[in-house]
Amino acid sequence: MNAQKNGCPGADRGVRHMPIRAITAALALLVGLAPGSVQSQGTTIKIGVPVPLSGSSANAGTDIVNGAKLAAARINAAGGVLGKQIELVPEDDACDAQTAVQAAQKLVDAGVVAVAGGYCSSAALPESTTFHRAGIPYVLDASTNPQLTEMGYDNVFRTIGRDDQQGPFAASFMKDVLHAKRAAVIDDNTTYSKGLAQNTVEALKKNGVDVVYANSITPGQMDYSPTLTRVASLKPDVIYYTGYFSEAGLMVKEARQLGLKMTLMGGDATNDPTLMKTAGPAADGMIITTAPLAQFLSGAHSYVDDYTKAYGQGPGPYSVYEYDAVGVTAKAIADAKSVQPSAITAALHKMSGYPGATGTIGFNAKGDRNKAVYITIIVHNDKFEPYRRQDAEGHWAAMK
């Protein structure tokens, strides 16, 4: 989907730009497989995709599965891996820890040799323990809590950055670009949200910004105006919300209805287009810290085109990172010349220079992506636009 070689068997430059009808045909074959019908003949390689397919984050999970399908369809159209086709096995973890354990065990029982997925860190953490016990590699595409790669599990990797990278990035933006003196940080008490909030608060304090408010809301409520009124009374220059897009949209709408004029910001779980549908015109001017979206990545132009043709709309924020998670997993299987999970894990640890749609991918000793990038985007006229980035020296520059 991008212009670079994938590195999987037969996946040359021409395959990456194959007509969408070829991808669609391969995709139809991929998703039309009856459960276990081909696996029993030993002609497929099963890769699990645990994501929320129900609840408030279901659209994010569906978007991730769509990215996985495009990756698998491309690989399969190019001949598959080790002479076999990739078969995806999506499983609903509902962004819930207990459901996640059940989903992970279902994938283990289904015979997956690797897993590429994850969204909410609160689900990914128990999933990673289940996959570790089973010895199955888990390549995360969206879960950013640092603990995921700090538990000493050698089978956990990710194609995205970490909250202890995003937090200092957000704090630097508030201080050096917004010139904020006073900041409020609100989380939703989930694993991901609290982790990002804590890392941001620590970095703000180190930067000399006065944190006038740092507390949690309860997700799923219909009215956050009491919290917003309390925060407004403390006169912050910026409010940074580290929870998910469903609550963020409502909070932004209510903040503007209350007449709050300070800068409103969100973390990388607010970067879903649903934000604008919920908040309406009130979202205009909201700034979000995030890994680069597919439409802002030079290597993902073909991916965006193919996604749009296949699904009738542009990709959400994490499908391209899932696309690369499936791609790098397939490359590890090819490098290992084996479908044994332990061999795939070893190959992932050796991975360097994989030319993904999101850029070059390699992993450090903990399994984190080398050179993870964060940017800021801004809502303008009901869409996300690139805003500011940091160069290698930490200087801020406008994005085009």
Side-chain angles (χ1 to χ4, degrees):
M1 304 304 165
N2 63 23
Q4 297 167 303
K5 285 183 66 178
N6 171 262
C8 294
D12 62 10
R13 186 180 182 89
V15 170
R16 297 190 73 92
H17 293 279
M18 68 176 65
I20 189 64
R21 60 180 179 274
I23 292 180
T24 304
L27 186 57
L29 175 64
L30 177 76
V31 300
L33 291 170
S37 62
V38 182
Q39 176 69 12
S40 62
Q41 301 172 25
T43 58
T44 66
I45 298 172
K46 289 186 175 183
I47 296 178
V49 184
V51 287
L53 297 174
S54 61
S56 61
S57 296
N59 64 322
T62 298
D63 177 62
I64 290 169
V65 171
N66 288 344
K69 288 177 180 178
L70 283 177
R74 173 183 55 78
I75 294 165
N76 289 343
V81 183
L82 304 182
K84 297 183 178 182
Q85 298 280 284
I86 296 295
E87 178 186 353
L88 299 178
V89 187
E91 195 64 55
D92 181 17
D93 65 20
C95 273
D96 173 77
Q98 184 174 352
T99 305
V101 172
Q102 298 168 354
Q105 190 59 52
K106 287 180 181 178
L107 292 175
V108 173
D109 295 342
V112 300
V113 300
V115 178
Y119 181 64
C120 295
S121 293
S122 55
L125 281 164
E127 286 167 356
S128 66
T129 297
T130 298
F131 295 136
H132 177 68
R133 288 171 179 165
I136 296 171
Y138 188 11
V139 183
L140 297 152
D141 70 303
S143 302
T144 54
N145 186 272
Q147 189 180 353
L148 283 157
T149 48
E150 292 289 343
M151 294 187 290
Y153 294 169
D154 66 350
N155 63 308
V156 180
F157 307 83
R158 57 180 140 202
T159 59
I160 199 89
R162 294 167 41 136
D163 293 333
D164 52 1
Q165 296 170 314
Q166 184 179 184
F169 174 85
S172 175
F173 176 85
M174 292 181 219
K175 177 179 182 291
D176 298 331
V177 179
L178 299 181
H179 305 293
K181 304 295 185 184
R182 298 164 64 83
V185 180
I186 304 175
D187 67 77
D188 69 2
N189 211 30
T190 62
T191 301
Y192 151 77
S193 184
K194 284 189 71 69
L196 177 56
Q198 291 167 358
N199 280 286
T200 303
V201 167
E202 291 174 4
L204 284 167
K205 290 179 178 178
K206 288 180 181 178
N207 288 349
V209 177
D210 186 13
V211 180
V212 298
Y213 185 89
N215 213 329
S216 306
I217 55 119
T218 300
Q221 294 185 341
M222 300 303 293
D223 184 10
Y224 295 105
S225 55
T227 296
L228 292 168
T229 300
R230 166 61 178 158
V231 172
S233 71
L234 302 173
K235 296 180 170 56
D237 301 309
V238 57
I239 298 176
Y240 186 50
Y241 178 62
T242 64
Y244 291 86
F245 57 85
S246 52
E247 286 75 27
L250 178 58
M251 291 178 68
V252 168
K253 184 176 182 179
E254 291 179 341
R256 296 313 187 203
Q257 288 174 341
L258 290 169
L260 277 60
K261 302 297 185 183
M262 71 283 292
T263 301
L264 301 179
M265 291 183 60
D268 60 349
T270 67
N271 59 9
D272 191 283
T274 307
L275 172 82
M276 286 86 85
K277 295 179 182 177
T278 304
D284 219 53
M286 182 180 179
I287 298 169
I288 296 170
T289 59
T290 180
L293 305 185
Q295 59 265 39
F296 307 145
L297 289 162
S298 60
H301 292 166
S302 295
Y303 173 78
V304 173
D305 290 343
D306 290 339
Y307 188 105
T308 303
K309 291 175 183 176
Y311 302 111
Q313 61 184 13
Y318 295 108
S319 67
V320 70
Y321 293 90
E322 172 69 4
Y323 178 84
D324 278 351
V326 172
V328 79
T329 300
K331 178 62 164 60
I333 294 170
D335 289 348
K337 297 181 177 60
S338 172
V339 294
Q340 290 298 317
S342 59
I344 300 169
T345 295
L348 284 165
H349 276 290
K350 296 176 183 177
M351 190 72 63
S352 65
Y354 174 82
T358 61
T360 302
I361 298 176
F363 303 107
N364 64 20
K366 293 180 179 179
D368 287 310
R369 178 173 181 163
N370 293 325
K371 300 179 181 178
V373 175
Y374 283 98
I375 64 169
T376 61
I377 59 177
I378 190 167
V379 179
H380 181 64
N381 291 334
D382 202 35
K383 65 179 182 179
F384 294 126
E385 294 184 355
Y387 192 54
R388 295 286 189 275
R389 64 175 180 83
Q390 276 184 310
D391 62 22
E393 286 73 40
H395 303 134
W396 288 95
M399 295 181 65
K400 297 182 180 179

